[in-house]
Amino acid sequence: MGNVNDFKFLSERGFQGLVKGLLKELKVYGTIVKDGFPAFGEISAPEELVLSSTPTHLSAKEFFFPQREVLLKFNIKTAAFSPVIESVDQAIIGMHPCDIRALSLMDRVFAAGTPDPNYLSRRSKTLIIGSDCMPDDYCFCKSLGNSEAESGFDIFLHALGKGFLVRTGSDKGRAALLKYAKLRAPSTKEFREFQGLCLKRDSSFKAKVDAPPAELPSIYAKSDESKVWQKIGAICTGCGSCNNVCPTCYCFDVKDEVKASLAEGERVRNWDGCTLEDFAKVAGGHNFRKTRAERLRHRFNRKFRYLSSTFDSLFCVGCGRCSRACLVKINIVEVTNELVSECHNK
Amino acid sequence: METPYQPIAGTVERSIRVSEKERLFSVIPSDPTLLKYRPGQFYMVGLPGYGEAPISITSGPGEALIELCVRAVGNLTNALHSLRKGDKIWLRGPFGRGFDLEELEGKDLVFVAGGIGIVPMRSLLKAVLGRREKFGRLTLIYGSRSPDELLFSEEMDGWRAAGMDVKLTVDRAEPLWKGNVGVVTTLIPKVEVAQKNTVGVIIGPPVMYRFVILSLNAKGLGPEDIFVSLERRMKCGLGKCGHCQINSLYICQCGPVFRMSELKGMVEAI
Ligand SMILES: Cc1cc2nc3c(=O)[nH]c(=O)nc-3n(C[C@H](O)[C@H](O)[C@H](O)COP(=O)(O)OP(=O)(O)OC[C@H]3O[C@@H](n4cnc5c(N)ncnc54)[C@H](O)[C@@H]3O)c2cc1C
Ligand code: SF4
Ligand code: SF4
Ligand code: FES
């Protein structure tokens, strides 16, 4: 919850002024309402923003790692390839603690080994403004230890009945506030209200994983032969929605698209999903993960086990998006808890 | 700004049909640093409009050209087959860690290749035969579906002369075929193996590994004594796209060559 000195008060009008200021300099994306649901979208005026208390259907990853992105342009006649690295200065308003945690994991992925210039250039030009949330039935970030954003944002907003308590997380955030917002120290009443809201949020989590996060990699490691995989594999439709909505799913496909002129084209990367049938198929038709059960086992292990040895962190942040999106109601918390109880009963 | 997706141009110096479905290319890369490779490594090979695919290096280390042998199976590989002398080809790499020859020194080596598994194996064979005195007994067991699908058969006499026992087998015999008929595992029991000092290397189609490993186990070779080169779908070569992943390993970077003991407990590896 922090110390009162870590916070400043920003009025509602002050917030509008901040957004207006940012709109002059950057492309601004934020949470809006699309088809009745909270979603990230581009805004052109502060009134369009609806700071959502529940997670958006899609995560914010598309602003750093778009669903479709050109990597190279080529000319078939002159036989030349040229790199395409497109990025603009942008701000994302309304990312929740889970989204911010996910982004910091993606930062590490795209910087590791051979750095990815496309992701990194977008990332370096982005101002992150986080905002508070209220868990729904699917949110379980708290049981993974991710419910508070300590870092990874430039500015963080805690909405009160009127106005916000604000934390700054970087020089970039501090500079933006200095330029466009009038801040003052919060009153005792305001800080109490904030503390009350924090407690309310903290006690509102319903979904939780039944084991300490640090034990999950070894629980998954013992569960390769679990019957759970067959059970969920039997109902999964292989639609790939869970991959699309997940803020830490970053697998992709690369293919060439040729213009109608047949002279030019682009090498393009698109989101791909390990739950899709062809993901691990090679020439000759051999599929290294033939069944849906194997593909789901891979996806879940990637979140709780495989990447944890490389990045020293779980790759599930507990946003619950995959469970919300799944039409056959495969629920990541229930699956994990079944594995936990199988392991404890062994 | 630079991007790791930028391919380097190469010029096709030679393009020869080596079987019904395979063509062998010799390529001079415009950037000579691409010639620094190890057996077992591969390039992402591409053409504008057709994308990229992982293709193994089949030439030996230190050669002035890169040799690639491509089986036409789909979009890109068929387009590659139309390349002739002077045409451009695009490369990124080399990728993967390949074979460490020093680890194999002083050992008897049994190479087991199936189908186009001979393509990457040839690079290793050339490297080993180039320093023949450093190794013990050498045996190659190579199988293909039919005699006319056997690749590099004109080179086999040279390999034999250089001190390697070459045993060939085909699944389907034809009237003129005088050699062995049957899958590669039928030849393994006939190989003399000095248990303590033999290393097996397996490269072939996915279905082959399990059986060959069992036959080598029966000869006394354990997980420390067997190397495999694994095929997976690959889209980047950079450890990012996720297609080649087995557990925490990205085959494009940590492999494709592995000692079997490194794959212990990985249910999807073999
Ligand atoms: C490390 C490694 C080394 C290889 N070395 C050689 C070699 O030396 N010679 C050779 O002929 N082949 C080699 N291959 C196989 C070769 O990469 C595939 O045949 C090629 O990707 C097919 O591409 P395509 O565009 O012609 O086929 P496509 O039209 O893309 O599809 C044909 C089939 O290939 C599969 N496929 C598509 N993309 C890939 C991919 N990136 N990786 C694997 N399968 C894919 C599809 O699922 C489909 O079944 C190697 C593969 C790997 C992983
Ligand atoms: S796996 Fe599911 S709950 Fe975990 S981060 Fe991804 S979408 Fe969220
Ligand atoms: S969203 Fe559900 S049905 Fe679709 S692939 Fe994921 S688990 Fe399967
Ligand atoms: S080929 Fe993309 S991660 Fe290995």
Side-chain angles (χ1 to χ4, degrees):
Chain A
M1 223 175 285
N3 184 295
V4 64
N5 298 324
D6 299 335
F7 299 87
K8 290 275 186 284
F9 180 84
L10 176 68
S11 70
E12 215 120 322
R13 277 195 52 194
F15 174 61
Q16 304 232 330
L18 170 66
V19 177
K20 273 192 195 132
L22 294 176
L23 276 165
K24 277 187 257 169
E25 294 183 8
L26 327 156
K27 252 191 193 315
V28 180
Y29 300 91
T31 42
I32 56 171
V33 175
K34 234 186 231 167
D35 308 321
F37 293 99
F40 285 103
E42 191 177 351
I43 60 154
S44 53
E47 303 77 51
E48 292 165 34
L49 276 174
V50 184
L51 288 181
S52 162
S53 61
T54 51
T56 50
H57 173 69
L58 286 171
S59 79
K61 72 178 170 189
E62 58 179 302
F63 302 116
F64 310 96
F65 171 52
Q67 185 159 16
R68 176 188 179 280
E69 146 173 50
V70 179
L71 297 173
L72 298 163
K73 280 191 194 303
F74 54 77
N75 185 308
I76 294 176
K77 278 205 199 90
T78 62
F81 282 90
S82 50
V84 179
I85 298 168
E86 278 166 354
S87 57
V88 292
D89 289 310
Q90 58 181 3
I92 322 276
I93 305 179
M95 288 176 69
H96 292 167
C98 61
D99 297 326
I100 291 170
R101 173 77 194 151
L103 187 63
S104 71
L105 291 170
M106 294 287 250
D107 289 351
R108 290 168 64 189
V109 164
F110 284 101
T114 309
D116 188 273
N118 299 62
Y119 177 97
L120 295 175
S121 85
R122 284 199 198 89
R123 184 65 180 90
S124 70
K125 291 189 183 173
T126 307
L127 185 82
I128 304 289
I129 304 186
S131 81
D132 253 345
C133 50
M134 201 47 92
D136 70 1
D137 291 351
Y138 294 96
C139 293
F140 63 107
C141 59
K142 190 184 166 194
S143 62
L144 298 181
N146 285 333
S147 57
E148 310 287 333
E150 304 297 347
S151 61
F153 55 83
D154 298 297
I155 300 171
F156 199 96
L157 304 168
H158 300 275
L160 304 176
K162 272 205 158 86
F164 304 87
L165 287 203
V166 178
R167 273 189 293 158
T168 33
S170 72
D171 291 342
K172 208 159 138 186
R174 208 162 290 123
L177 287 169
L178 211 63
K179 197 161 167 194
Y180 295 119
K182 269 211 188 72
L183 300 172
R184 62 161 169 79
S187 68
T188 316
K189 192 166 157 247
E190 284 154 357
F191 193 66
R192 282 233 189 84
E193 183 188 351
F194 163 67
Q195 285 175 312
L197 286 169
C198 287
L199 288 175
K200 181 172 166 222
R201 171 171 179 262
D202 216 43
S203 58
S204 302
F205 283 93
K206 293 180 203 118
K208 74 181 223 349
V209 167
D210 296 334
E215 280 179 26
L216 293 172
S218 67
I219 287 169
Y220 268 84
K222 288 179 200 135
S223 303
D224 280 342
E225 310 298 336
S226 166
K227 294 208 173 60
V228 171
W229 307 123
Q230 301 302 330
K231 194 173 90 181
I232 60 175
I235 57 170
C236 168
T237 62
C239 68
S241 299
C242 47
N243 293 124
N244 275 347
V245 301
C246 178
T248 66
C249 269
Y250 59 87
C251 290
F252 56 83
D253 185 38
V254 180
K255 63 165 195 275
D256 284 5
E257 292 177 3
V258 179
K259 298 267 151 71
S261 67
L262 299 182
E264 289 171 334
E266 295 168 336
R267 187 156 291 168
V268 180
R269 112 171 134 193
N270 285 287
W271 291 355
D272 207 341
C274 61
T275 55
L276 300 174
E277 174 154 14
D278 284 350
F279 188 81
K281 201 170 175 182
V282 294
H286 187 88
N287 192 338
F288 287 94
R289 284 189 285 276
K290 261 196 301 293
T291 65
R292 290 186 185 142
E294 288 168 301
R295 296 196 286 275
L296 286 178
R297 181 176 66 188
H298 177 77
R299 175 169 141 76
F300 281 73
N301 269 286
R302 225 176 115 101
K303 298 297 151 187
F304 291 106
R305 171 186 169 205
Y306 295 160
L307 296 175
S308 66
S309 57
T310 315
F311 294 100
D312 197 26
S313 168
L314 297 181
F315 258 63
C316 175
V317 297
C319 70
R321 283 189 173 90
C322 54
S323 309
R324 266 181 224 103
C326 182
L327 290 176
V328 298
K329 299 194 167 22
I330 292 171
N331 184 304
I332 193 163
V333 176
E334 288 168 13
V335 168
T336 303
N337 286 344
E338 270 189 65
L339 301 180
V340 172
S341 79
E342 279 177 8
C343 273
H344 289 166
N345 294 333
K346 250 179 214 162
Chain B
M1 213 192 284
E2 278 191 27
T3 166
Y5 292 98
Q6 177 73 44
I8 306 286
T11 309
V12 174
E13 186 51 33
R14 234 159 47 115
S15 160
I16 41 175
R17 196 168 147 180
V18 288
S19 79
E20 200 189 321
K21 281 183 292 179
E22 282 94 15
R23 212 166 237 288
L24 181 65
F25 301 96
S26 308
V27 176
I28 304 175
S30 58
D31 176 354
T33 58
L34 265 71
L35 287 164
K36 284 205 190 106
Y37 56 78
R38 277 180 164 193
Q41 288 190 304
F42 65 94
Y43 296 99
M44 291 301 284
V45 176
L47 287 176
Y50 296 93
E52 289 183 320
I55 300 292
S56 309
I57 295 161
T58 191
S59 37
E63 291 180 25
L65 290 161
I66 297 165
E67 280 184 325
L68 306 168
C69 182
V70 178
R71 174 177 287 184
V73 295
N75 273 342
L76 171 69
T77 46
N78 274 298
L80 289 172
H81 269 228
S82 68
L83 296 181
R84 296 294 178 268
K85 184 178 162 66
D87 287 341
K88 264 201 176 138
I89 186 170
W90 298 85
L91 309 169
R92 287 191 299 128
F95 292 116
R97 64 173 177 178
F99 289 96
D100 181 351
L101 253 71
E102 279 171 22
E103 282 184 338
L104 304 177
E105 280 179 9
K107 306 274 183 188
D108 289 353
L109 303 175
V110 180
F111 307 100
V112 186
I116 55 171
I118 193 69
V119 169
M121 192 73 93
R122 178 172 173 257
S123 180
L124 177 64
L125 298 177
K126 286 184 160 211
V128 166
L129 291 174
R131 295 156 47 181
R132 177 67 190 87
E133 70 291 350
K134 303 249 187 211
F135 303 90
R137 205 160 11 161
L138 304 179
T139 312
L140 167 68
I141 299 173
Y142 168 34
S144 74
R145 261 175 286 188
S146 63
D148 49 283
E149 283 183 35
L150 283 170
L151 297 172
F152 309 116
S153 35
E154 69 292 346
E155 296 177 24
M156 307 273 170
D157 285 340
W159 295 351
R160 287 190 176 103
M164 181 165 66
D165 185 12
V166 179
K167 298 182 192 299
L168 305 177
T169 183
V170 296
D171 298 349
R172 247 180 301 114
E174 276 158 29
L176 288 176
W177 178 252
K178 300 219 165 50
N180 192 76
V181 178
V183 292
V184 285
T185 42
T186 57
L187 288 177
I188 294 174
K190 295 174 194 155
V191 180
E192 263 182 69
V193 166
Q195 282 202 17
K196 287 266 151 352
N197 204 37
T198 303
V199 165
V201 180
I202 313 170
I203 315 179
V207 291
M208 196 183 93
Y209 289 86
R210 194 161 298 164
F211 301 104
V212 175
I213 290 166
L214 285 173
S215 314
L216 291 179
N217 289 157
K219 282 278 180 185
L221 272 63
E224 292 291 333
D225 314 318
I226 300 175
F227 287 84
V228 292
S229 179
L230 299 181
E231 184 183 355
R232 285 299 182 274
R233 194 178 180 111
M234 294 184 180
K235 287 294 174 185
C236 70
L238 306 168
K240 300 261 193 296
C241 77
H243 284 275
C244 68
Q245 191 182 10
I246 304 174
N247 289 35
S248 53
L249 303 175
Y250 285 88
I251 307 314
C252 65
Q253 302 231 297
C254 326
V257 175
F258 292 97
R259 205 189 274 265
M260 275 306 294
S261 53
E262 294 173 306
L263 303 170
K264 196 170 160 246
M266 300 192 181
V267 283
E268 287 177 356
I270 297 296

